[in-house]
Amino acid sequence: MIPTSSDACAVPGGSDVDNPSIDIEPPGCAVLIVGCGNLLRGDDGVGPILVRHLWERGVPDGARLVDGGTAGMDVAFQMKGAERVVIVDAAATGAAPGTVYKVPGAELAQLPPLQGLHTHSFRWDHAIAFARWALGDACPQAITVFLIEAHNVALGADLSEPVEAALENVIGLIEAEYLSGLRPEGDDGALRVEFTADGYVRLDVRLAASRFPSDAIAAVVRGADLWLIPLRGPRSGGLLLKQRNPVGDRTTLVREVLDDRIPVGVRAAFWDDDQGALRIPLGPES
């Protein structure tokens, strides 16, 4: 007798024959970024810390981030469906601390076979070797590895200064080569924001995603303009842009910044490239 779906839950090894099309595979993505390493051991945690920094800066549609330091072998299955994979890990080659190595996929073809793998020492080469073994032909071919030479991997240590500087360098490389093309372009020629009577300023979804991907901002009045300046993330302080509607528009409370003098309604704005800020003139509109 074939068990029903309710029977299958009660029978060891039973299968749910009423739901044969359940898809448990990860969604595909344009780029998958994996940070490998141990957060508890100083510079060895540079991969997961980099993933956290990228998360704070805002993840564009089409990108996914994975903390390989805690996900273990699951990283390999996360790779399935990714067009490109970027792995970041610490290195211990004896070079100067903070040295960055970029290992393109073509040089990864001769990695040794999978051996000696366990979840407490999961490294970048393990991730690739296990993915090739587990996924076979479905393993992505476009894989790039960034390695950062460690200085201090003592238990409980913070990132050393040279490794922290290298981390910022690698973030810039990843943003330029893999993420910037996924971010929406703002229509900077005709920007509009809306001030509400209760003291909020609203940015449409495209403007917010293109200029304020971390949803963290500083708001200041300079001269006759309100300046909205993007911050790296919530830990930098400032204000949070909160989602206002299902479309993805963002709002933040600026009543105190404007001393309760709210120019209610839709206002023209412009992006100041030199200052890296959205500027909103507060004077009478012509």
Side-chain angles (χ1 to χ4, degrees), residues 120-281:
H120 297 291
S121 62
F122 196 82
R123 310 299 306 187
W124 65 273
D125 50 343
H126 292 144
I128 297 173
F130 186 75
R132 288 174 176 166
W133 174 80
L135 302 180
D137 293 340
C139 181
Q141 299 301 308
I143 301 176
T144 299
V145 177
F146 288 97
L147 300 176
I148 300 176
E149 186 72 17
H151 174 60
N152 182 4
V153 295
L155 185 65
D158 295 326
L159 286 186
S160 63
E161 289 187 9
V163 169
E164 191 162 4
L167 175 143
E168 292 295 333
N169 179 28
V170 173
I171 285 176
L173 293 173
I174 291 175
E175 176 66 35
E177 296 182 32
Y178 299 94
L179 298 181
S180 62
L182 301 177
R183 300 194 187 280
E185 296 181 2
D187 184 8
D188 293 352
L191 296 181
R192 295 286 187 272
V193 301
E194 179 185 5
F195 290 96
T196 64
D198 52 352
Y200 284 83
V201 62
R202 182 184 68 83
L203 283 62
D204 69 47
V205 60
R206 178 172 287 275
L207 174 58
S210 63
R211 294 300 187 181
F212 304 94
S214 74
D215 287 336
I217 68 169
V220 296
V221 175
R222 293 182 179 174
D225 296 349
L226 173 65
W227 291 34
L228 301 182
I229 305 167
L231 301 176
R232 283 185 47 179
R235 289 188 298 179
S236 301
L239 305 173
L240 287 179
L241 288 170
K242 299 181 180 180
Q243 186 165 337
R244 173 172 176 156
N245 53 35
V247 174
D249 295 342
R250 298 291 196 267
T251 62
T252 194
L253 186 65
V254 293
R255 176 189 293 278
E256 292 185 3
V257 177
L258 297 176
D259 293 328
D260 286 329
R261 295 191 293 270
I262 314 299
V264 178
V266 177
R267 310 281 295 194
F270 66 95
W271 182 259
D272 187 328
D273 276 318
D274 292 335
Q275 302 297 328
L278 180 69
R279 296 175 58 177
I280 309 165

Side-chain angles (χ1 to χ4, degrees), residues 82-96:
E83 296 175 18
R84 296 193 292 174
V85 176
V86 179
I87 297 175
V88 181
D89 201 356
T93 67

